[in-house]
Amino acid sequence: MQGRDALAPLNEQCIASYPLPRSCLVENGMRGSYNNRMKLREQLSQLPQVNEYLTGPRGERWLKVYARSVVVRSIREVIEERRREILGGGAPDLSPDSLAGDIEQAIRRHGAYRLRKVVNASGVVIHTNLGRAVLSDRAIENVVAVAGSYSNLEYDIAGGRRGKRYSHIRDIIRELTGAEDGIVVNNNAAAVLLCLDTFARGREVVVSRGELVEIGGSFRIPAVMAASGAILREVGTTNKTHLPDYENALCGNTGLLMKVHQSNYTIRGFTEEVPVEGLVKLGRKYRIPVMDDLGSGCLISLEKYGITGEPTVQDVIRQGADLVTFSGDKLLGGPQAGIIAGREKLIARIQKNPMLRAMRCDKMTFAALEATLMQYRDGDRALRDIPALRMLTAPAETIRKRARKILSALKKSLSSQADLGIVPDQSRAGGGSLPETDFPTYAVSIKPGGMSVNALERKLRLGDPPVIARIQGDALLIDARSVLDREVRTLIECIFAAFT
Ligand SMILES: *Cc1c(COP(=O)(O)O)cnc(C)c1O
């Protein structure tokens, strides 16, 4: 009886120092038997102090690699977790090895980047959620070279004076597209906005009702018009727009004739649209600039590969468009950027728009874009060396080989745990490009025996690196088209890990 009373205040004292709901303590400690309370005290006293770890050899090792705040936070978390377990009536492993193992895991979790690489086994080549285009080796090398040093970003080396960041990229844009001049901003949405702001603020922009695109999220042509202060003048109907529809809409306040590429949809059946040449004729007659928002930025005709309906930038410039806007990271296969190619006089006006400063790209983008564009000087090399183009134009046989390689590695140790095979399927271009084009592909099909296909998909997604695959029925499909050759080994290891 006496012993019990003597213990009570001590327990109270312990309780006061734990940031835990009192009810939980009362339930597990206070109300238990004397023996139970003694055990609880004994267990709690075995928990180490944060400092014991920090100053020990393990702590020293962790501190060499990770920030002190990360190490301290991780040790605290793990000790706190154990404390909770004890107070909840459990008997957690308090051995130094067990604690250290958990602390290391926590350190790795807290120390890891939030933005990180993933393996794209979805088959969607220009996957907007997965960072769109993968840069080419040349582009990556150039980013490293330019970002790891000082550069002539705004310096004219020959003249020994201040230069312009846009000057480096204009020659290659001119060379590839045939345009008089070019400029680059953060993305194509910015390019469109900047053109509208420069040429049509407070003025009318004539657009066909069949081209009032929503690209995704909040990029919708009518909304962009409103944001830029331009006045949208819709003409024609959803399925048919004729040249006179445009002509009848012109007035003294028309600032721009605009064509928008139907990137992510098609209108079929009883349809008609005015080709860019038609708009150019009209524009010349009334002295109104014609702009074509192409979206994808295709610089090589891909018809040979069954990819049709995607005009090249050169085509549109040749047909007389005064301004053409396109993305750097869709079919072009470079960094996120918006490229404006067109008449020198118009680009000069864009250069003077104060909004340009707010949309300017940094040196890493210029480095990656210049290197990517240079690769287009030789079309065959571009198709081979720019990942997005290589993946989209890969022959089915190449994809099948990659799928077979993955399959045979998996079969070696997973045959008893999953039903494995290769299935023909369709991949997608993605990124709002080529909505109608199917890309015949081969996928490794995994039907797990011991878990659901959803569980397997989740395990792969939460792995390191995450693998993004797609579920079809009771199978998980690993589409070999979008898997980089240098990541095949990693992918296989991730799949093994998901089964252990
Ligand atoms: C994709 C696209 C845009 C937006 O380009 P971002 O580079 O994603 O900003 C604008 N217009 C069209 C027609 C597009 O296809």
Side-chain angles (χ1 to χ4, degrees), residues 142-143 146-151 153 165 361-368:
N142 203 31
V143 170
V146 167
S149 269
Y150 289 102
S151 65
L153 181 66
R165 67 175 61 210
C361 307
D362 82 325
K363 58 195 173 197
M364 290 188 276
T365 302
F366 281 112

Side-chain angles (χ1 to χ4, degrees), residues 175-473:
E175 180 184 323
L176 296 176
T177 66
E180 288 174 11
D181 205 350
I183 193 163
V184 177
V185 289
N186 270 328
N187 48 42
N188 191 37
V192 172
L193 200 59
L194 188 60
C195 288
L196 291 174
D197 185 82
T198 307
F199 303 103
R201 173 168 285 278
R203 306 186 70 188
E204 291 189 1
V205 180
V206 190
V207 189
S208 160
R209 289 197 168 91
E211 297 173 2
L212 297 174
V213 186
E214 172 176 318
I215 296 305
S218 52
F219 190 87
R220 308 168 100 188
I221 292 294
V224 172
M225 291 274 175
S228 73
I231 303 157
L232 173 61
R233 185 69 202 269
E234 314 173 17
V235 296
T237 61
T238 304
N239 58 325
K240 281 201 168 205
T241 305
H242 310 279
L243 194 57
D245 292 330
Y246 285 94
E247 190 158 19
N248 292 337
L250 300 181
C251 68
N253 197 32
T254 306
L256 211 53
L257 283 162
M258 184 173 171
K259 203 166 165 56
V260 185
H261 185 51
Q262 299 165 343
S263 305
N264 49 15
Y265 68 106
T266 50
I267 299 180
R268 274 181 293 187
F270 188 57
T271 68
E272 192 168 324
E273 62 173 310
V274 178
V276 72
E277 289 115 314
L279 291 189
V280 167
K281 252 187 223 154
L282 204 61
R284 297 277 187 282
K285 185 166 156 195
Y286 294 95
R287 305 177 63 89
I288 299 166
V290 174
M291 168 176 163
D292 195 342
D293 176 21
L294 267 186
S296 268
C298 189
L299 289 171
I300 297 180
S301 167
L302 299 172
E303 301 213 335
K304 258 205 310 205
Y305 304 93
I307 301 169
T308 54
E310 199 55 45
T312 63
V313 179
Q314 306 83 293
D315 282 346
V316 177
I317 292 285
R318 205 177 307 118
Q319 285 156 19
D322 300 301
L323 290 164
V324 182
T325 54
F326 52 100
S327 267
D329 55 350
K330 289 186 182 171
L331 283 182
L332 190 86
Q336 178 189 304
I339 300 160
I340 310 172
R343 302 247 175 249
E344 202 169 355
K345 266 194 187 154
L346 301 182
I347 301 287
R349 278 181 60 192
I350 290 173
Q351 298 252 22
K352 291 199 190 94
N353 188 329
M355 284 238 293
L356 177 63
R357 170 69 187 243
M359 299 174 177
R360 75 179 191 187
C361 307
D362 82 325
K363 58 195 173 197
M364 290 188 276
T365 302
F366 281 112
L369 186 61
E370 188 182 5
T372 307
L373 289 174
M374 288 235 186
Q375 288 179 289
Y376 275 94
R377 283 177 160 161
D378 180 336
D380 289 338
R381 272 199 214 168
L383 290 170
R384 193 189 63 203
D385 296 338
I386 296 175
L389 290 183
R390 181 177 62 233
M391 288 177 189
L392 286 173
T393 61
E397 205 35 52
T398 305
I399 301 170
R400 181 144 72 170
K401 260 192 204 149
R402 194 177 299 132
R404 279 214 188 111
K405 191 173 160 189
I406 299 167
L407 178 72
S408 68
L410 295 183
K411 270 192 167 163
K412 275 182 201 139
S413 33
L414 291 185
S415 286
S416 61
Q417 296 177 69
D419 187 358
L420 302 164
I422 287 183
V423 294
D425 200 33
Q426 304 288 338
S427 333
R428 294 257 151 223
S433 306
L434 313 169
E436 291 285 287
T437 314
D438 281 333
F439 295 84
T441 192
Y442 289 96
V444 178
S445 155
I446 308 175
K447 292 181 187 170
M451 62 180 132
S452 70
V453 67
N454 287 300
L456 176 61
E457 184 275 340
R458 189 181 137 82
K459 276 188 157 186
L460 278 172
R461 178 158 43 82
L462 298 181
D464 183 24
V467 173
I468 311 300
R470 66 175 188 273
I471 295 174
Q472 199 172 76

